[in-house]
Amino acid sequence: MKSKTLMKRIFCGAIAVATAVSLTACVMPLDEAKDFTSTSVGFVVAPSPEVSTRKVTITGNPVNVRSGPGKKYSVIGKTSKGKSFGYLGSKKDKNKTVWYKIQYTSSKTGWVISSLSKLKEAKSTKASTTTASTTTASTTTATTTTTKAASEKTVVISGNPVNVRSGAGKNYAKIGSTSKGKKYKLLDTKKDSAGTKWYKIQFTSSKTGWVISTLAYIEGEKNTSTPKKNNGKVAYLTFDDGPSINTMKILDILDQYNVKATFFVIYHKGMTKQYKAIVDRGHTIALHSYTHDYSKIYKSEKGYYSDLNKIHDYVKKTTGVDSRIIRFPGGSSNTVSNKYNKGIMKTLKSSVTKNGYYYHDWNVSSGDAGGINRKASVLLGNVKKGVGKKKVINVLMHDTGKSKMTTVEALPSIIEYIRKQGYSFEALTEDSVLIQHGR
Ligand code: ZN
């Protein structure tokens, strides 16, 4: 599993370098599947005069575009099923496999294998000015793939951490991670199927990648990740005490609404997949407690940090995130702690801040902690009451499995209600507004 993932990453990385044109998917391109070598001692088959009216339609998915008619030529890009290109000629390789030369982009030609494409007469083509090339090999190579894209613009990362992916969408493989304040050269901009903008960046000197625009901005331009457009109305959805058997369901709903949220996690055995999914799907993983045991956490400052460090290190080990965003069990205004150490909250509040943590309470409560599976309509009603005219809302919910199934049930209507009030949803970052009790 691990090595497979690694292979995929390496492969995707290589593709990202090799192509400057959009990446369609990060899977094994089909012409690689068969394992035989070929050379291009073939001959030119048919650059006939009517060549320019013919089209090559791709039938495989995805299909490599190569710099010459054979598998030994470098991959200069990828294309996908249904795409159509101007036909420029064909050639057979050593194995008598026919390759079609195509007008890959307006400035670039390439070759695709005929077994994964189809040559057709085009119904209406304006006479191509490109005369069929009879050169034996394309002069296009993988080194000439620089696009004249977005010129000298710089992408600044605003989220922390931010995944770098092999393509413009969350379904593309993660090829790396970057952090707040880092800057990269902008190479291209694209929208994914959900309409979210992605920036193509020069990730390393030899590698490109894509980052989501909600966690990055273009230097000198307005940071679109701060939703000034909605009169600054921001909603932070927060889920405490997870992960649980509900986490994946919650993530699916959030995806469905294209909403980012924050999970204040505690330690749960056997939930590695859930911890990782929270991060991989673009949400903020934040620290709640390792044990959630008030008698340990609130006994002393030392007891508190011993617990906090444990969950911090566990999250870091599991997800790679070095989180500084926390929520006290019971909130900073809890009075239960007095039972164990009177006045400890006052000490802890100033201490964590001094130690570089950002603690968040909430100002809207779904009330799902008030009982087992309270009716979804009650939870929604609580949220409606809580939202009122607040400009920034931090909504408390719980990801606690069986006893909080109705939280999952209520979530779509909660999101719809909040969205209707003009809020934009954000996951908490170190720059987010701090909603803290008693302040
Ligand atoms: Zn809790």
Side-chain angles (χ1 to χ4, degrees), residues 39-45 47 66-73 88-94 97 99-101 109-111 131-140:
T39 51
S40 72
V41 285
F43 50 91
V44 175
V45 177
R66 294 185 179 272
S67 64
K71 279 180 206 165
K72 66 161 199 178
Y73 291 91
L88 301 175
S90 58
K91 242 183 127 179
K92 281 184 183 169
D93 63 23
K94 199 187 176 187
T97 303
W99 289 74
Y100 297 134
K101 185 173 188 181
T109 62
W111 294 81
T131 43
S133 169
T134 52
T135 50
T136 49
S138 164
T139 51
T140 315

PDB file of all heavy atoms in Angstrom, residues 39-45 47 66-73 88-94 97 99-101 109-111 131-140:
ATOM      1  N   THR A  39      11.104   0.955 -31.668  1.00  0.00           N
ATOM      2  CA  THR A  39      11.921   2.047 -32.183  1.00  0.00           C
ATOM      3  C   THR A  39      11.207   2.605 -33.391  1.00  0.00           C
ATOM      4  O   THR A  39      10.214   2.066 -33.843  1.00  0.00           O
ATOM      5  CB  THR A  39      13.317   1.543 -32.602  1.00  0.00           C
ATOM      6  OG1 THR A  39      13.123   0.420 -33.459  1.00  0.00           O
ATOM      7  CG2 THR A  39      14.131   1.142 -31.403  1.00  0.00           C
ATOM      8  N   SER A  40      11.716   3.640 -33.912  1.00  0.00           N
ATOM      9  CA  SER A  40      10.971   4.294 -34.972  1.00  0.00           C
ATOM     10  C   SER A  40      11.667   4.197 -36.322  1.00  0.00           C
ATOM     11  O   SER A  40      11.815   5.174 -37.007  1.00  0.00           O
ATOM     12  CB  SER A  40      10.778   5.754 -34.616  1.00  0.00           C
ATOM     13  OG  SER A  40      12.015   6.391 -34.742  1.00  0.00           O
ATOM     14  N   VAL A  41      12.059   3.027 -36.677  1.00  0.00           N
ATOM     15  CA  VAL A  41      12.653   2.872 -37.999  1.00  0.00           C
ATOM     16  C   VAL A  41      11.570   2.675 -39.060  1.00  0.00           C
ATOM     17  O   VAL A  41      11.828   2.239 -40.160  1.00  0.00           O
ATOM     18  CB  VAL A  41      13.654   1.684 -38.040  1.00  0.00           C
ATOM     19  CG1 VAL A  41      14.939   2.050 -37.354  1.00  0.00           C
ATOM     20  CG2 VAL A  41      13.023   0.445 -37.440  1.00  0.00           C
ATOM     21  N   GLY A  42      10.364   2.994 -38.684  1.00  0.00           N
ATOM     22  CA  GLY A  42       9.234   2.819 -39.595  1.00  0.00           C
ATOM     23  C   GLY A  42       9.276   3.783 -40.756  1.00  0.00           C
ATOM     24  O   GLY A  42      10.275   4.440 -41.013  1.00  0.00           O
ATOM     25  N   PHE A  43       8.186   3.859 -41.443  1.00  0.00           N
ATOM     26  CA  PHE A  43       8.137   4.713 -42.620  1.00  0.00           C
ATOM     27  C   PHE A  43       6.905   5.579 -42.554  1.00  0.00           C
ATOM     28  O   PHE A  43       5.953   5.286 -41.845  1.00  0.00           O
ATOM     29  CB  PHE A  43       8.102   3.855 -43.881  1.00  0.00           C
ATOM     30  CG  PHE A  43       7.048   2.783 -43.812  1.00  0.00           C
ATOM     31  CD1 PHE A  43       5.779   3.029 -44.294  1.00  0.00           C
ATOM     32  CD2 PHE A  43       7.326   1.542 -43.233  1.00  0.00           C
ATOM     33  CE1 PHE A  43       4.810   2.059 -44.209  1.00  0.00           C
ATOM     34  CE2 PHE A  43       6.358   0.573 -43.155  1.00  0.00           C
ATOM     35  CZ  PHE A  43       5.091   0.816 -43.638  1.00  0.00           C
ATOM     36  N   VAL A  44       6.942   6.621 -43.304  1.00  0.00           N
ATOM     37  CA  VAL A  44       5.800   7.517 -43.331  1.00  0.00           C
ATOM     38  C   VAL A  44       4.671   6.860 -44.104  1.00  0.00           C
ATOM     39  O   VAL A  44       4.858   6.445 -45.246  1.00  0.00           O
ATOM     40  CB  VAL A  44       6.183   8.857 -43.976  1.00  0.00           C
ATOM     41  CG1 VAL A  44       4.973   9.741 -44.111  1.00  0.00           C
ATOM     42  CG2 VAL A  44       7.249   9.526 -43.127  1.00  0.00           C
ATOM     43  N   VAL A  45       3.536   6.746 -43.475  1.00  0.00           N
ATOM     44  CA  VAL A  45       2.440   6.048 -44.131  1.00  0.00           C
ATOM     45  C   VAL A  45       1.645   6.942 -45.059  1.00  0.00           C
ATOM     46  O   VAL A  45       1.534   6.661 -46.230  1.00  0.00           O
ATOM     47  CB  VAL A  45       1.494   5.396 -43.102  1.00  0.00           C
ATOM     48  CG1 VAL A  45       0.316   4.746 -43.791  1.00  0.00           C
ATOM     49  CG2 VAL A  45       2.258   4.368 -42.295  1.00  0.00           C
ATOM     50  N   PRO A  47       1.025  10.951 -45.333  1.00  0.00           N
ATOM     51  CA  PRO A  47       0.749  12.385 -45.303  1.00  0.00           C
ATOM     52  C   PRO A  47       0.200  12.824 -46.657  1.00  0.00           C
ATOM     53  O   PRO A  47       0.903  13.387 -47.471  1.00  0.00           O
ATOM     54  CB  PRO A  47       2.098  13.019 -44.998  1.00  0.00           C
ATOM     55  CG  PRO A  47       3.109  11.956 -45.251  1.00  0.00           C
ATOM     56  CD  PRO A  47       2.423  10.677 -45.578  1.00  0.00           C
ATOM     57  N   ARG A  66       3.414  11.540 -27.172  1.00  0.00           N
ATOM     58  CA  ARG A  66       4.875  11.418 -27.159  1.00  0.00           C
ATOM     59  C   ARG A  66       5.541  12.303 -28.202  1.00  0.00           C
ATOM     60  O   ARG A  66       4.907  12.775 -29.136  1.00  0.00           O
ATOM     61  CB  ARG A  66       5.265   9.962 -27.381  1.00  0.00           C
ATOM     62  CG  ARG A  66       4.831   9.062 -26.227  1.00  0.00           C
ATOM     63  CD  ARG A  66       5.328   7.645 -26.391  1.00  0.00           C
ATOM     64  NE  ARG A  66       4.918   6.831 -25.255  1.00  0.00           N
ATOM     65  CZ  ARG A  66       5.628   6.714 -24.118  1.00  0.00           C
ATOM     66  NH1 ARG A  66       6.786   7.338 -23.994  1.00  0.00           N
ATOM     67  NH2 ARG A  66       5.180   5.973 -23.128  1.00  0.00           N
ATOM     68  N   SER A  67       6.815  12.475 -28.013  1.00  0.00           N
ATOM     69  CA  SER A  67       7.554  13.363 -28.917  1.00  0.00           C
ATOM     70  C   SER A  67       7.888  12.691 -30.247  1.00  0.00           C
ATOM     71  O   SER A  67       8.352  13.345 -31.169  1.00  0.00           O
ATOM     72  CB  SER A  67       8.827  13.846 -28.226  1.00  0.00           C
ATOM     73  OG  SER A  67       9.682  12.742 -27.977  1.00  0.00           O
ATOM     74  N   GLY A  68       7.654  11.391 -30.360  1.00  0.00           N
ATOM     75  CA  GLY A  68       7.924  10.692 -31.611  1.00  0.00           C
ATOM     76  C   GLY A  68       7.064   9.461 -31.724  1.00  0.00           C
ATOM     77  O   GLY A  68       6.363   9.088 -30.776  1.00  0.00           O
ATOM     78  N   PRO A  69       7.105   8.795 -32.878  1.00  0.00           N
ATOM     79  CA  PRO A  69       6.230   7.652 -33.120  1.00  0.00           C
ATOM     80  C   PRO A  69       6.760   6.357 -32.521  1.00  0.00           C
ATOM     81  O   PRO A  69       7.216   5.480 -33.242  1.00  0.00           O
ATOM     82  CB  PRO A  69       6.166   7.587 -34.645  1.00  0.00           C
ATOM     83  CG  PRO A  69       7.482   8.130 -35.085  1.00  0.00           C
ATOM     84  CD  PRO A  69       7.907   9.141 -34.063  1.00  0.00           C
ATOM     85  N   GLY A  70       6.703   6.220 -31.239  1.00  0.00           N
ATOM     86  CA  GLY A  70       7.177   5.012 -30.591  1.00  0.00           C
ATOM     87  C   GLY A  70       7.253   5.234 -29.097  1.00  0.00           C
ATOM     88  O   GLY A  70       7.329   6.379 -28.633  1.00  0.00           O
ATOM     89  N   LYS A  71       7.255   4.139 -28.369  1.00  0.00           N
ATOM     90  CA  LYS A  71       7.258   4.251 -26.915  1.00  0.00           C
ATOM     91  C   LYS A  71       8.577   4.694 -26.327  1.00  0.00           C
ATOM     92  O   LYS A  71       8.663   5.027 -25.157  1.00  0.00           O
ATOM     93  CB  LYS A  71       6.845   2.934 -26.296  1.00  0.00           C
ATOM     94  CG  LYS A  71       5.353   2.817 -26.319  1.00  0.00           C
ATOM     95  CD  LYS A  71       4.900   1.546 -25.729  1.00  0.00           C
ATOM     96  CE  LYS A  71       3.561   1.213 -26.329  1.00  0.00           C
ATOM     97  NZ  LYS A  71       3.218  -0.156 -26.070  1.00  0.00           N
ATOM     98  N   LYS A  72       9.602   4.661 -27.143  1.00  0.00           N
ATOM     99  CA  LYS A  72      10.882   5.101 -26.608  1.00  0.00           C
ATOM    100  C   LYS A  72      10.974   6.639 -26.578  1.00  0.00           C
ATOM    101  O   LYS A  72      11.861   7.193 -25.957  1.00  0.00           O
ATOM    102  CB  LYS A  72      12.023   4.503 -27.436  1.00  0.00           C
ATOM    103  CG  LYS A  72      12.065   5.026 -28.846  1.00  0.00           C
ATOM    104  CD  LYS A  72      13.429   4.782 -29.463  1.00  0.00           C
ATOM    105  CE  LYS A  72      13.630   5.702 -30.661  1.00  0.00           C
ATOM    106  NZ  LYS A  72      14.923   5.550 -31.273  1.00  0.00           N
ATOM    107  N   TYR A  73      10.046   7.280 -27.240  1.00  0.00           N
ATOM    108  CA  TYR A  73      10.052   8.740 -27.199  1.00  0.00           C
ATOM    109  C   TYR A  73       9.445   9.243 -25.902  1.00  0.00           C
ATOM    110  O   TYR A  73       8.553   8.603 -25.339  1.00  0.00           O
ATOM    111  CB  TYR A  73       9.286   9.315 -28.401  1.00  0.00           C
ATOM    112  CG  TYR A  73       9.999   9.081 -29.702  1.00  0.00           C
ATOM    113  CD1 TYR A  73       9.736   7.941 -30.467  1.00  0.00           C
ATOM    114  CD2 TYR A  73      10.970   9.987 -30.145  1.00  0.00           C
ATOM    115  CE1 TYR A  73      10.412   7.702 -31.651  1.00  0.00           C
ATOM    116  CE2 TYR A  73      11.651   9.755 -31.331  1.00  0.00           C
ATOM    117  CZ  TYR A  73      11.378   8.614 -32.089  1.00  0.00           C
ATOM    118  OH  TYR A  73      12.048   8.391 -33.247  1.00  0.00           O
ATOM    119  N   LEU A  88      -1.741  14.987 -38.673  1.00  0.00           N
ATOM    120  CA  LEU A  88      -0.608  15.509 -39.435  1.00  0.00           C
ATOM    121  C   LEU A  88       0.173  14.425 -40.170  1.00  0.00           C
ATOM    122  O   LEU A  88       1.100  14.716 -40.897  1.00  0.00           O
ATOM    123  CB  LEU A  88       0.346  16.256 -38.494  1.00  0.00           C
ATOM    124  CG  LEU A  88      -0.245  17.439 -37.723  1.00  0.00           C
ATOM    125  CD1 LEU A  88       0.776  17.994 -36.748  1.00  0.00           C
ATOM    126  CD2 LEU A  88      -0.692  18.531 -38.671  1.00  0.00           C
ATOM    127  N   GLY A  89      -0.188  13.192 -39.959  1.00  0.00           N
ATOM    128  CA  GLY A  89       0.549  12.129 -40.628  1.00  0.00           C
ATOM    129  C   GLY A  89       0.615  10.908 -39.739  1.00  0.00           C
ATOM    130  O   GLY A  89       0.179  10.941 -38.593  1.00  0.00           O
ATOM    131  N   SER A  90       1.147   9.832 -40.301  1.00  0.00           N
ATOM    132  CA  SER A  90       1.283   8.647 -39.461  1.00  0.00           C
ATOM    133  C   SER A  90       2.561   7.907 -39.796  1.00  0.00           C
ATOM    134  O   SER A  90       3.186   8.140 -40.841  1.00  0.00           O
ATOM    135  CB  SER A  90       0.065   7.740 -39.615  1.00  0.00           C
ATOM    136  OG  SER A  90      -0.092   7.377 -40.961  1.00  0.00           O
ATOM    137  N   LYS A  91       2.929   7.036 -38.927  1.00  0.00           N
ATOM    138  CA  LYS A  91       4.182   6.324 -39.073  1.00  0.00           C
ATOM    139  C   LYS A  91       4.090   5.011 -38.323  1.00  0.00           C
ATOM    140  O   LYS A  91       3.362   4.913 -37.334  1.00  0.00           O
ATOM    141  CB  LYS A  91       5.302   7.162 -38.427  1.00  0.00           C
ATOM    142  CG  LYS A  91       6.367   7.604 -39.393  1.00  0.00           C
ATOM    143  CD  LYS A  91       7.446   8.346 -38.693  1.00  0.00           C
ATOM    144  CE  LYS A  91       8.788   7.731 -39.030  1.00  0.00           C
ATOM    145  NZ  LYS A  91       9.892   8.431 -38.380  1.00  0.00           N
ATOM    146  N   LYS A  92       4.826   4.030 -38.817  1.00  0.00           N
ATOM    147  CA  LYS A  92       4.849   2.769 -38.089  1.00  0.00           C
ATOM    148  C   LYS A  92       6.147   2.649 -37.316  1.00  0.00           C
ATOM    149  O   LYS A  92       7.199   3.098 -37.779  1.00  0.00           O
ATOM    150  CB  LYS A  92       4.738   1.593 -39.054  1.00  0.00           C
ATOM    151  CG  LYS A  92       3.323   1.334 -39.518  1.00  0.00           C
ATOM    152  CD  LYS A  92       3.268   0.096 -40.386  1.00  0.00           C
ATOM    153  CE  LYS A  92       1.862  -0.121 -40.917  1.00  0.00           C
ATOM    154  NZ  LYS A  92       1.834  -1.159 -41.955  1.00  0.00           N
ATOM    155  N   ASP A  93       6.048   2.059 -36.151  1.00  0.00           N
ATOM    156  CA  ASP A  93       7.284   1.801 -35.425  1.00  0.00           C
ATOM    157  C   ASP A  93       7.800   0.416 -35.807  1.00  0.00           C
ATOM    158  O   ASP A  93       7.254  -0.260 -36.686  1.00  0.00           O
ATOM    159  CB  ASP A  93       7.091   1.971 -33.901  1.00  0.00           C
ATOM    160  CG  ASP A  93       6.098   0.978 -33.319  1.00  0.00           C
ATOM    161  OD1 ASP A  93       5.878  -0.084 -33.937  1.00  0.00           O
ATOM    162  OD2 ASP A  93       5.544   1.274 -32.247  1.00  0.00           O
ATOM    163  N   LYS A  94       8.842   0.002 -35.133  1.00  0.00           N
ATOM    164  CA  LYS A  94       9.509  -1.260 -35.437  1.00  0.00           C
ATOM    165  C   LYS A  94       8.567  -2.462 -35.367  1.00  0.00           C
ATOM    166  O   LYS A  94       8.716  -3.441 -36.096  1.00  0.00           O
ATOM    167  CB  LYS A  94      10.634  -1.451 -34.408  1.00  0.00           C
ATOM    168  CG  LYS A  94      11.691  -2.429 -34.805  1.00  0.00           C
ATOM    169  CD  LYS A  94      12.596  -2.593 -33.582  1.00  0.00           C
ATOM    170  CE  LYS A  94      13.663  -3.635 -33.791  1.00  0.00           C
ATOM    171  NZ  LYS A  94      14.382  -3.851 -32.519  1.00  0.00           N
ATOM    172  N   THR A  97       3.463  -1.038 -35.388  1.00  0.00           N
ATOM    173  CA  THR A  97       2.360  -0.321 -34.745  1.00  0.00           C
ATOM    174  C   THR A  97       2.293   1.069 -35.354  1.00  0.00           C
ATOM    175  O   THR A  97       3.310   1.756 -35.472  1.00  0.00           O
ATOM    176  CB  THR A  97       2.592  -0.216 -33.228  1.00  0.00           C
ATOM    177  OG1 THR A  97       2.755  -1.536 -32.711  1.00  0.00           O
ATOM    178  CG2 THR A  97       1.428   0.459 -32.531  1.00  0.00           C
ATOM    179  N   TRP A  99       1.418   4.946 -35.502  1.00  0.00           N
ATOM    180  CA  TRP A  99       1.299   6.112 -34.627  1.00  0.00           C
ATOM    181  C   TRP A  99       0.799   7.285 -35.450  1.00  0.00           C
ATOM    182  O   TRP A  99       1.181   7.439 -36.602  1.00  0.00           O
ATOM    183  CB  TRP A  99       2.663   6.459 -34.014  1.00  0.00           C
ATOM    184  CG  TRP A  99       3.116   5.457 -33.000  1.00  0.00           C
ATOM    185  CD1 TRP A  99       3.584   4.199 -33.243  1.00  0.00           C
ATOM    186  CD2 TRP A  99       3.118   5.622 -31.587  1.00  0.00           C
ATOM    187  NE1 TRP A  99       3.888   3.566 -32.068  1.00  0.00           N
ATOM    188  CE2 TRP A  99       3.612   4.424 -31.024  1.00  0.00           C
ATOM    189  CE3 TRP A  99       2.763   6.671 -30.725  1.00  0.00           C
ATOM    190  CZ2 TRP A  99       3.747   4.255 -29.646  1.00  0.00           C
ATOM    191  CZ3 TRP A  99       2.907   6.488 -29.359  1.00  0.00           C
ATOM    192  CH2 TRP A  99       3.382   5.288 -28.829  1.00  0.00           C
ATOM    193  N   TYR A 100      -0.054   8.084 -34.854  1.00  0.00           N
ATOM    194  CA  TYR A 100      -0.554   9.277 -35.540  1.00  0.00           C
ATOM    195  C   TYR A 100       0.143  10.507 -35.001  1.00  0.00           C
ATOM    196  O   TYR A 100       0.268  10.691 -33.787  1.00  0.00           O
ATOM    197  CB  TYR A 100      -2.055   9.446 -35.311  1.00  0.00           C
ATOM    198  CG  TYR A 100      -2.893   8.315 -35.865  1.00  0.00           C
ATOM    199  CD1 TYR A 100      -3.911   7.742 -35.107  1.00  0.00           C
ATOM    200  CD2 TYR A 100      -2.677   7.832 -37.160  1.00  0.00           C
ATOM    201  CE1 TYR A 100      -4.691   6.711 -35.611  1.00  0.00           C
ATOM    202  CE2 TYR A 100      -3.447   6.796 -37.668  1.00  0.00           C
ATOM    203  CZ  TYR A 100      -4.452   6.227 -36.889  1.00  0.00           C
ATOM    204  OH  TYR A 100      -5.215   5.215 -37.384  1.00  0.00           O
ATOM    205  N   LYS A 101       0.536  11.342 -35.928  1.00  0.00           N
ATOM    206  CA  LYS A 101       1.088  12.631 -35.510  1.00  0.00           C
ATOM    207  C   LYS A 101      -0.073  13.611 -35.399  1.00  0.00           C
ATOM    208  O   LYS A 101      -0.891  13.711 -36.325  1.00  0.00           O
ATOM    209  CB  LYS A 101       2.110  13.131 -36.528  1.00  0.00           C
ATOM    210  CG  LYS A 101       2.807  14.402 -36.079  1.00  0.00           C
ATOM    211  CD  LYS A 101       3.927  14.801 -37.015  1.00  0.00           C
ATOM    212  CE  LYS A 101       4.711  15.950 -36.424  1.00  0.00           C
ATOM    213  NZ  LYS A 101       5.794  16.391 -37.309  1.00  0.00           N
ATOM    214  N   THR A 109       3.282  19.759 -31.639  1.00  0.00           N
ATOM    215  CA  THR A 109       2.781  18.522 -32.226  1.00  0.00           C
ATOM    216  C   THR A 109       3.184  17.362 -31.324  1.00  0.00           C
ATOM    217  O   THR A 109       4.024  17.514 -30.446  1.00  0.00           O
ATOM    218  CB  THR A 109       3.387  18.296 -33.624  1.00  0.00           C
ATOM    219  OG1 THR A 109       4.799  18.179 -33.481  1.00  0.00           O
ATOM    220  CG2 THR A 109       3.053  19.436 -34.570  1.00  0.00           C
ATOM    221  N   GLY A 110       2.553  16.229 -31.534  1.00  0.00           N
ATOM    222  CA  GLY A 110       2.895  15.064 -30.731  1.00  0.00           C
ATOM    223  C   GLY A 110       2.408  13.808 -31.429  1.00  0.00           C
ATOM    224  O   GLY A 110       1.806  13.885 -32.507  1.00  0.00           O
ATOM    225  N   TRP A 111       2.676  12.680 -30.847  1.00  0.00           N
ATOM    226  CA  TRP A 111       2.307  11.403 -31.448  1.00  0.00           C
ATOM    227  C   TRP A 111       1.484  10.570 -30.468  1.00  0.00           C
ATOM    228  O   TRP A 111       1.812  10.505 -29.292  1.00  0.00           O
ATOM    229  CB  TRP A 111       3.562  10.622 -31.826  1.00  0.00           C
ATOM    230  CG  TRP A 111       4.374  11.259 -32.921  1.00  0.00           C
ATOM    231  CD1 TRP A 111       5.257  12.274 -32.785  1.00  0.00           C
ATOM    232  CD2 TRP A 111       4.364  10.900 -34.310  1.00  0.00           C
ATOM    233  NE1 TRP A 111       5.819  12.592 -34.010  1.00  0.00           N
ATOM    234  CE2 TRP A 111       5.289  11.756 -34.969  1.00  0.00           C
ATOM    235  CE3 TRP A 111       3.679   9.951 -35.075  1.00  0.00           C
ATOM    236  CZ2 TRP A 111       5.540  11.690 -36.339  1.00  0.00           C
ATOM    237  CZ3 TRP A 111       3.936   9.874 -36.444  1.00  0.00           C
ATOM    238  CH2 TRP A 111       4.844  10.739 -37.066  1.00  0.00           C
ATOM    239  N   THR A 131       1.174  22.242 -42.745  1.00  0.00           N
ATOM    240  CA  THR A 131       1.292  21.208 -43.760  1.00  0.00           C
ATOM    241  C   THR A 131       1.783  19.938 -43.104  1.00  0.00           C
ATOM    242  O   THR A 131       2.548  19.975 -42.158  1.00  0.00           O
ATOM    243  CB  THR A 131       2.282  21.624 -44.875  1.00  0.00           C
ATOM    244  OG1 THR A 131       3.403  22.222 -44.235  1.00  0.00           O
ATOM    245  CG2 THR A 131       1.655  22.593 -45.844  1.00  0.00           C
ATOM    246  N   ALA A 132       1.303  18.871 -43.625  1.00  0.00           N
ATOM    247  CA  ALA A 132       1.660  17.595 -43.038  1.00  0.00           C
ATOM    248  C   ALA A 132       3.166  17.434 -43.008  1.00  0.00           C
ATOM    249  O   ALA A 132       3.851  17.624 -44.001  1.00  0.00           O
ATOM    250  CB  ALA A 132       1.043  16.474 -43.841  1.00  0.00           C
ATOM    251  N   SER A 133       3.609  17.113 -41.885  1.00  0.00           N
ATOM    252  CA  SER A 133       5.048  16.991 -41.728  1.00  0.00           C
ATOM    253  C   SER A 133       5.512  15.604 -42.142  1.00  0.00           C
ATOM    254  O   SER A 133       4.926  14.602 -41.806  1.00  0.00           O
ATOM    255  CB  SER A 133       5.427  17.248 -40.278  1.00  0.00           C
ATOM    256  OG  SER A 133       6.763  16.873 -40.097  1.00  0.00           O
ATOM    257  N   THR A 134       6.536  15.591 -42.889  1.00  0.00           N
ATOM    258  CA  THR A 134       7.081  14.292 -43.282  1.00  0.00           C
ATOM    259  C   THR A 134       8.418  14.051 -42.590  1.00  0.00           C
ATOM    260  O   THR A 134       9.128  13.124 -42.904  1.00  0.00           O
ATOM    261  CB  THR A 134       7.288  14.209 -44.812  1.00  0.00           C
ATOM    262  OG1 THR A 134       8.040  15.357 -45.199  1.00  0.00           O
ATOM    263  CG2 THR A 134       5.978  14.179 -45.536  1.00  0.00           C
ATOM    264  N   THR A 135       8.720  14.903 -41.670  1.00  0.00           N
ATOM    265  CA  THR A 135       9.960  14.674 -40.941  1.00  0.00           C
ATOM    266  C   THR A 135       9.860  13.367 -40.175  1.00  0.00           C
ATOM    267  O   THR A 135       8.801  12.967 -39.759  1.00  0.00           O
ATOM    268  CB  THR A 135      10.240  15.810 -39.944  1.00  0.00           C
ATOM    269  OG1 THR A 135       9.061  16.015 -39.187  1.00  0.00           O
ATOM    270  CG2 THR A 135      10.639  17.073 -40.648  1.00  0.00           C
ATOM    271  N   THR A 136      10.960  12.729 -40.026  1.00  0.00           N
ATOM    272  CA  THR A 136      10.926  11.398 -39.428  1.00  0.00           C
ATOM    273  C   THR A 136      10.672  11.421 -37.932  1.00  0.00           C
ATOM    274  O   THR A 136      10.169  10.479 -37.378  1.00  0.00           O
ATOM    275  CB  THR A 136      12.240  10.643 -39.704  1.00  0.00           C
ATOM    276  OG1 THR A 136      13.303  11.521 -39.360  1.00  0.00           O
ATOM    277  CG2 THR A 136      12.329  10.240 -41.148  1.00  0.00           C
ATOM    278  N   ALA A 137      11.017  12.486 -37.305  1.00  0.00           N
ATOM    279  CA  ALA A 137      10.718  12.565 -35.890  1.00  0.00           C
ATOM    280  C   ALA A 137      10.342  13.981 -35.529  1.00  0.00           C
ATOM    281  O   ALA A 137      10.819  14.928 -36.109  1.00  0.00           O
ATOM    282  CB  ALA A 137      11.928  12.138 -35.061  1.00  0.00           C
ATOM    283  N   SER A 138       9.459  14.081 -34.633  1.00  0.00           N
ATOM    284  CA  SER A 138       9.034  15.393 -34.200  1.00  0.00           C
ATOM    285  C   SER A 138      10.187  16.074 -33.483  1.00  0.00           C
ATOM    286  O   SER A 138      10.983  15.452 -32.803  1.00  0.00           O
ATOM    287  CB  SER A 138       7.864  15.243 -33.251  1.00  0.00           C
ATOM    288  OG  SER A 138       7.695  16.454 -32.560  1.00  0.00           O
ATOM    289  N   THR A 139      10.246  17.347 -33.659  1.00  0.00           N
ATOM    290  CA  THR A 139      11.304  18.074 -32.973  1.00  0.00           C
ATOM    291  C   THR A 139      10.888  18.450 -31.559  1.00  0.00           C
ATOM    292  O   THR A 139      11.662  18.970 -30.797  1.00  0.00           O
ATOM    293  CB  THR A 139      11.653  19.365 -33.749  1.00  0.00           C
ATOM    294  OG1 THR A 139      10.430  20.050 -33.994  1.00  0.00           O
ATOM    295  CG2 THR A 139      12.359  19.052 -35.035  1.00  0.00           C
ATOM    296  N   THR A 140       9.640  18.169 -31.286  1.00  0.00           N
ATOM    297  CA  THR A 140       9.152  18.495 -29.949  1.00  0.00           C
ATOM    298  C   THR A 140       9.728  17.524 -28.932  1.00  0.00           C
ATOM    299  O   THR A 140       9.663  16.327 -29.109  1.00  0.00           O
ATOM    300  CB  THR A 140       7.627  18.382 -29.910  1.00  0.00           C
ATOM    301  OG1 THR A 140       7.110  19.012 -31.063  1.00  0.00           O
ATOM    302  CG2 THR A 140       7.078  19.017 -28.657  1.00  0.00           C
TER     303      THR A 140
END
